[in-house]
Each structure stands twice: as C-alpha cells, then as structure tokens.
Amino acid sequence: MPRVLLSRWAVVSAALASVVVPVCATGQPGRGQAERRYVPPAVFVAPAAVAPALAPAVARTVVARTVIAPTVGLLSNTTAVHGVPGSVARGARYVEGSNVLRLASGRWMYLPAARTAPAVVPPGHPPARQQIAQSRAWLASGRVPGRSPEHRAAAERALLSLRALLRPNGAVAAGWSPGWQYSWPRDSSFVSAAFAHTGHDAEAYRILRYSAATQRKDGTWEARTKLDGSGPPDGRRWQLDANGWVPWATWQWYRTAPPATRHARLLTLYPMIRKAADHAAASLRKDGLPPASPDYWELMTNTTNIGTAAPLLAGLNASADLAREANRPDDAARWARAAQRLSSGISAKFFPLAYQRTVDGRHGRDSAVAFMAPPFNAAPADLSGALDSTYGALLLPNGGLTPGNDPAAPWGGYAWTPSTAFFALAWAAMGRPEKAGPVLDWVFSKRNPLGELPEKTDKEGRPASVAPLGWTGSIAVLALVALDGTALPTPPLRP
C-alpha cells in the first residue's frame, strides 16, 4: 500500500465498516408525553487489529480506539443535521417526501426548527407535519427525475439527502459521519450540477459561491475544508482536479439558470473562474499534460493521471465558454488554446493505453475514464471501447466496480457506488440507456432500508460504510436526468 495519507474512502471507511452497530439508549416515552429528547448512541470500540499501514491515518480519526457508528440516514431542518444510527433505523421509514423518520414504534423522529438535537413525537405532530410540507414543497419547486416509480423514489430520497448535506453557507458535507463532515470541491461540484439540472437554482448557486469564498489566492483549492469555511482540517495535499470540477459545475449551473439573472451572477463568480482557469492553463507542461497530482482517489501518482487530466479539460472548455458569455474574448481564446493543448496531450499519451490511470501504464485501469465522456467532455471516437474494457476489468463478483485495479491500491473486494455510477452517467449522457440502465439499477439496489445510497458495498453486495454519500446521490440524479431524455450539456472543445 502506498505510504501516503489515504482519503476518507481508504481509511476512515475501513475503520467504520468494521464497527459493530450500536444499541440505542432512547428508552420508551411516558404516557401522554408529546416530545422527548433523543439520547445519542454510545461511542464504540474499534477493532483491536489495525493494519500497520493504516494506523497513522486511523489515529487521526479514531481517538483512543473509539469511533462513532456510521450514519444510515439523516434528519434535517435545513440549518442543522443529525445522523441516524443503524439501531434507530431498524424498522423505521421516512415519511414520504421528507426527512422525518417514522420509527418502528409508529412515533416520529425529526429535527425541530432551530434545534440541533432530534425529538421523538406522536405521529401527526404539527411542527413535524409542517416540516414535511416544506420538504414536499421544495421537491415540487423543482424536478424529480425518473421514468419509473422506483427511479423517482430513489431520486427523491437522493435530492432530500443532498439538501440536508448542504449547509446554509454553501458548504456541502460529503456525508454525516466523522471523516466525511467536510466539504470537498469535487463532491460539491457534482451536487451543484445535480441541483441545477433539477431546478434548484438557489442551492446550486450557493454552492458555487462557497467555492469562490474558499478558493486559495493562487486559484487552487484545498482537498477539503471545514464546513464553516475556516480552512482545511489537516495537512492533506491539495488536488488540482478541483480546478476542472468547479468551472465545469459553474458552466452547468449557467446553462440551466434563469436567463434574467444568470449573467449578473456569472460576473460575480467570474474572478473565481479566471483564477482557476489561469492556474490550470499554466500548469500544463510541454506535452500538454498537467503535473502529477492526487485525484479523486486522493493518492499521489508519479506521473499524470487521467483523474486529473480529464476534469481539467472539462474545466478549461467550460471556462472558455463562460468567458465568451462574460464578453472576455482574450480569456476565452487563452483557455481554448490551453484546452486544445491538453486534449492533444491526452490523445497522445492516454489514448494508446485505453485511458488507463497514468501515462506510464503502471497503475492499471481507472473508473475516471468516464470523465472523458459527456457531460464532462465530448467523447473521443475511441472512448466507447475504453469504457467497455475498463468496466469489464473493474467489475467485481458482487456486481459493482472497484475504483481501479492498481495492485497497490487499498480497495480490496469492496465495490464503490460513485465509481460504478460514473459509468451509468457516462452511458446515459452518451445516449446508451441499454447500458446505463442496468448499472444504475445495481446502484439503486444497494440502497439501505431507509432508501439512502451508501458509499460502498461489501463482498456480498451489502451496503457498507456511511450513508448517504452525497457524491453518489448527485451522480445518480444526473444519470436519471439523462435517462429521462434530457440531454445533459457538455462544455464544447473549440479552436
């Protein structure tokens, strides 16, 4: 295993996945009691045996060998969030169209307005009913994609979870368990695009404003930030792919935003775009490729990886098109030239390897090949074969995909729902519903009993680690939009 700091995927989830589900200490309500405070579950002992290579990173998350059980659902009042542990969720279901939980006893659990601790109340409790009505009105104000009742139910739950993970300041928590309660520019960009394409303009734009506020002076972003925007929680290395994802998300928002206001709001975001695109363009080497950088694996590579190069291409094309919209022709021309150089470099170095992980060909296949497809990039003529062969190479016996087959990577036999959903989105956006549909159905089949999408599944195909994961939810929503017949736009590569 590489001696680097692993991401939430490789480290924190490995610890949490092995923790025994807690027993809830709520007790039974007294007769006539209208509301009671929820007593959170205890803290649990992590496994005694931790792989030596993981120990330093696990120590950053597991204090005194203890760890909170991962969430399986969310309660939310839009300003605060409470993670639901597995013990509380047994036999429970959300009230349709809401984040109010109907417990196995029949009582309701919800997060009252202006509160951070949940309450358990009788069914029909007026404030809880008001919250349900507000959630349903929010859903109705936009679009819930999906051609079947099953797909619409999955999309509804994903959208409500994304709304819960979105903080008032525009930060998006990746999940609501320790190690995930931070905002990654990458995850946030996908969530912004999902909101944009389902008619939730205000939420999409709020996320972009947060990205602008947390951009570093040199135009880059930290790997992740605390949810209050105060900065990174640790010394994790920054990742260049954010310079592609954020402009791409801004372009997706702009294409869907109300015409009457989008231009003025674009000008507010434009300084962020200029700094991001200029840094991306300046990073390109003589061969047209960016330097090595940690990508969505959050593992450093010795040579350029496709998980950085492909998002940067999408971001430069998006930035050039946004510059045209903002009447900045010099910027547009400069970034278009950089995009052409990068496109040529990808064709020269990655195409002969069927878009493997790195240009040295030493790190195997990578699910990031899907980033070369719409709605990120106009698919090269040779991409279909690379998608098919990579999907086959990464397919696990449980039906999902591992992020990559690099022997040094720490994925084990777990399938990761984001990596699997990448292919559903790529094939849906390429007009291949016969390939996208079964993959997306597999992802949805792994929702937990509350309907939440987990980060991964174990070797037997059971949901594992934290749920919901905002990234998976946003990818799935975008795929459903495409499968509905709405063509997802792709930033154009222009001379």
Side-chain angles (χ1 to χ4, degrees):
M1 183 175 295
R3 291 191 299 174
V4 297
L5 290 179
L6 301 182
S7 70
R8 64 181 187 274
W9 280 23
V11 178
V12 184
S13 61
L16 291 181
S18 59
V19 178
V20 176
V21 175
V23 175
C24 179
T26 56
Q28 293 297 321
R31 183 181 298 274
Q33 184 176 352
E35 178 177 312
R36 61 185 174 85
R37 288 192 63 188
Y38 165 71
V39 180
V43 178
F44 304 93
V45 178
V50 177
L54 293 179
V58 170
R60 291 176 173 81
T61 304
V62 183
V63 180
R65 294 179 60 248
T66 60
V67 51
I68 301 295
T71 60
V72 298
L74 301 174
L75 306 179
S76 172
N77 56 22
T78 72
T79 59
V81 186
H82 178 82
V84 179
S87 57
V88 173
R90 292 195 190 102
R93 292 291 185 274
Y94 289 113
V95 177
E96 184 179 356
S98 78
N99 283 90
V100 173
L101 200 62
R102 182 184 291 110
L103 301 175
S105 65
R107 293 173 68 85
W108 286 1
M109 176 183 281
Y110 83 116
L111 194 59
R115 295 262 295 270
T116 58
V120 176
V121 298
H125 185 63
R129 290 187 64 177
Q130 182 180 12
Q131 189 179 103
I132 294 168
Q134 290 169 344
S135 294
R136 291 174 178 173
W138 180 81
L139 287 168
S141 72
R143 166 191 180 189
V144 179
R147 291 186 172 182
S148 68
E150 295 78 13
H151 281 179
R152 286 182 58 82
E156 178 181 284
R157 175 48 43 201
L159 285 168
L160 289 171
S161 296
L162 296 178
R163 186 186 187 216
L165 293 171
L166 174 61
R167 305 292 76 232
N169 65 350
V172 179
W176 208 254
S177 291
W180 286 263
Q181 289 178 9
Y182 305 107
S183 185
W184 274 259
R186 179 188 315 110
D187 302 45
S188 299
S189 294
F190 276 78
V191 175
S192 177
F195 280 140
H197 284 286
T198 53
H200 300 290
D201 172 81
E203 288 79 2
Y205 187 67
R206 194 196 318 168
I207 295 169
L208 298 174
R209 290 296 301 272
Y210 180 85
S211 293
T214 53
Q215 188 179 34
R216 304 197 303 185
K217 290 182 179 180
D218 66 354
T220 63
W221 280 269
E222 298 289 352
R224 58 183 184 166
T225 62
K226 298 175 184 177
L227 294 179
D228 63 3
S230 61
D234 53 28
R236 181 173 305 202
R237 186 181 176 115
W238 66 278
Q239 294 151 29
L240 183 57
D241 64 339
N243 285 60
W245 291 127
V246 176
W248 170 81
T250 305
W251 188 86
Q252 294 289 341
W253 160 77
Y254 186 80
R255 291 294 299 266
T256 63
T261 61
R262 68 177 186 174
H263 184 78
R265 291 189 289 160
L266 171 60
L267 295 183
T268 300
L269 297 173
Y270 195 77
M272 171 186 74
I273 298 299
R274 178 184 287 126
K275 289 190 293 183
D278 277 345
H279 188 100
S283 75
L284 302 183
R285 306 174 313 207
K286 291 183 179 180
D287 62 1
L289 295 177
S293 170
D295 59 356
Y296 79 101
W297 288 25
E298 300 196 85
L299 297 174
M300 189 61 184
T301 56
N302 294 327
T303 57
T304 306
N305 55 63
I306 193 65
T308 299
L312 285 187
L313 180 59
L316 283 169
N317 284 325
S319 298
D321 208 49
L322 290 171
R324 297 182 191 99
E325 294 291 333
N327 195 26
R328 304 291 196 275
D330 291 343
D331 288 348
R334 183 169 68 257
W335 300 332
R337 288 193 299 269
Q340 284 288 350
R341 289 182 57 219
L342 177 53
S343 179
S344 297
I346 291 174
S347 295
K349 299 292 185 177
F350 282 103
F351 161 64
L353 299 170
Y355 304 96
Q356 289 189 29
R357 177 162 171 71
T358 55
V359 292
D360 61 10
R362 297 178 179 178
H363 297 281
R365 300 291 186 134
D366 188 338
S367 59
V369 64
F371 301 160
M372 287 300 298
F376 313 112
N377 292 291
D382 54 286
L383 186 65
S384 291
L387 284 171
D388 290 346
S389 59
T390 302
Y391 183 86
L394 303 184
L395 187 62
L396 297 173
N398 66 12
L401 299 187
T402 181
N405 59 5
D406 184 343
W411 310 125
Y414 285 86
W416 296 85
T417 57
S419 290
T420 308
F422 291 162
F423 286 80
L425 176 55
W427 280 322
M430 292 171 70
R432 300 294 305 276
E434 76 284 357
K435 297 182 74 69
V439 177
L440 194 60
D441 285 342
W442 181 91
V443 173
F444 287 150
S445 74
K446 303 309 172 186
R447 292 188 299 154
N448 68 19
L450 292 183
E452 304 283 17
L453 287 162
E455 183 181 55
K456 62 182 181 178
T457 67
D458 64 18
K459 294 180 180 180
E460 286 71 40
R462 297 171 299 195
S465 190
V466 67
L469 187 74
W471 196 15
T472 302
S474 59
I475 300 167
V477 166
L478 289 169
L480 283 176
V481 169
L483 286 174
D484 273 358
T486 301
L488 291 175
T490 300
L493 177 62
R494 296 178 179 174

